[in-house]
Each structure stands twice: as C-alpha cells, then as structure tokens.
C-alpha cells in the first residue's frame, strides 16, 4: 500500500486541471440483515459507479459470526473491495456513508448492532487520520479476520500501515467463525 506522486499514476481533474495521486484503498463490506448478498452486490455496484473510483478487485464472500454484537445477532456476509481512487479520504468516507444510507443502514446507540450494510474504509493509501469522523487505518481491522481473510485473498502481501503484513495479522487472529461461501459471488458489472 503506497501513496506516491508518481507521474505514471497521476490523474488530472478534467475541470480544474489539478493533479491528484491515485491511491489504493481497501473497503470492507458486510451485511447481516435482509437480503445480504443482494445488498453486498448493490454496494459493489455503487462503489464502482463512484466518479474517480476504479474497482480493481472484489474478494470471495465469507459468512462470519458477529463480533462484539448484541446477543441474537445473525451471521454476516463479508467481502473486501479494492479500489484505486483520486478522491480524498474524507470524500471517500462520505461516499461510503451515502451507500450505507441508500441501503437503509440505521445508526442507533447500540454498538455493532445488526445492519443492512456496513462499508468501512480500512486503508486509503498510506493516509493516517485520528479524527472523530475518520480513523485511518481502521483501528480494529488488524484484529478482524472478516476483514483480513478476504483482503488476503486479493493481496496476500499487503500490509496495514503501522500494524504490519496482513498475513502475519491473520495468522495471529485465526479464522474461527469465518467460513468461505464458494456458493456465493459478487460480480463487477
């Protein structure tokens, strides 16, 4: 995961001519309410339809046990989407929240409550942020097999800035509660 202003990977804004580096970003998507697979597919489509975002990979789908969720929560379907983007991290976060809202995501006071859709920014290039609204890299991604395993499937030698290689992080957390659903797939349309 690098963020370098390389002349071979620069995009110019068509209106202003402003040069912007293309950054690799990792988004984790999950759903445990409603039509889970259809919701994840809709999220992939919405991400792909975002201006200045190019989807470069979509992981296999995993069914996972809820982590730190209220009792009685149903299993999640999870996947990871790799993108290249010229969007600022804050604009990418705004888009992720808008996609969640489009799928009727309800935000209550209960942490990790069941949800129709969760779209988390895991990394955006080598950006770091520790604001109330945006934390990069995602503060718990290094501890979540439901993020690490699908990401590992796409980029086995990737690393989380300041945390280390995802292969090592995945080995440390293990795969308990994470099951590959090879009967399900997300498509790039």
């Amino acid at each position: 995961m690098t963020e370098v202003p390389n002349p071979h990977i620069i995009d110019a804004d068509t209106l202003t001519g402003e040069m912007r580096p293309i950054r690799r970003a990792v988004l984790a998507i999950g759903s445990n309410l409603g039509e889970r697979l259809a919701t994840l597919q809709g999220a992939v489509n919405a991400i792909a339809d975002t201006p200045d975002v190019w989807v470069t990979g979509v992981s296999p789908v995993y069914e996972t046990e809820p982590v730190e969720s209220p009792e009685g929560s149903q299993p999640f379907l999870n996947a990871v989407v790799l993108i290249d983007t010229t969007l600022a991290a804050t604009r990418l976060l705004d888009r992720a929240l808008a996609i969640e809202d489009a799928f009727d995501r309800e935000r209550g006071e209960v942490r990790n409550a069941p949800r129709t859709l969760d779209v988390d920014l895991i990394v955006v290039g080598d950006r770091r942020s520790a604001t109330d609204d945006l934390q990069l890299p995602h503060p718990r991604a290094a501890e979540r097999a439901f993020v690490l395993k699908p990401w590992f499937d796409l980029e086995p030698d990737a690393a989380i800035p300041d945390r280390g290689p995802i292969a090592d992080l995945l080995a440390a957390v293990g795969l308990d509660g994470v099951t590959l659903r090879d009967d399900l797939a997300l498509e790039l349309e």
Side-chain angles (χ1 to χ4, degrees), residues 107-124:
R107 286 177 179 74
E109 294 185 19
V110 177
R111 184 178 162 108
N112 296 325
R115 60 201 74 135
T116 54
L117 181 62
D118 196 19
V119 180
D120 287 333
L121 274 60
I122 305 303
V123 295
V124 179

Side-chain angles (χ1 to χ4, degrees), residues 108-186:
E109 294 185 19
V110 177
R111 184 178 162 108
N112 296 325
R115 60 201 74 135
T116 54
L117 181 62
D118 196 19
V119 180
D120 287 333
L121 274 60
I122 305 303
V123 295
V124 179
D126 61 3
R127 289 280 195 218
R128 283 146 178 94
S129 177
T131 67
D132 288 342
D133 294 330
L134 179 63
Q135 295 184 1
L136 287 173
H138 190 285
R140 292 172 302 285
E143 306 157 5
R144 305 290 198 231
F146 62 82
V147 171
L148 297 171
K149 178 56 176 146
W151 186 7
F152 179 83
D153 290 345
L154 295 172
E155 288 187 317
D157 53 351
I160 298 178
D162 304 325
R163 298 304 298 267
I166 61 172
D168 295 347
L169 298 169
L170 183 58
V173 299
L175 291 173
D176 288 347
V178 177
T179 305
L180 175 64
R181 290 291 305 266
D182 37 354
D183 59 321
L184 304 176
L186 298 170

Side-chain angles (χ1 to χ4, degrees), residues 1 9 14-15 44 48 56 90 101 123 144 162-164 169 171:
M1 305 302 290
I9 57 168
T14 54
L15 294 176
V44 169
T56 60
T90 53
D101 289 344
V123 295
R144 305 290 198 231
D162 304 325
R163 298 304 298 267
L169 298 169

Side-chain angles (χ1 to χ4, degrees), residues 81-105:
V81 180
L82 298 181
I83 65 170
D84 287 337
T85 185
T86 56
L87 292 178
T90 53
R91 290 195 53 215
L92 192 56
L93 176 63
D94 290 343
R95 179 62 176 160
L97 295 173
I99 292 169
E100 289 179 349
D101 289 344
F103 286 89
D104 298 323
R105 164 76 187 262

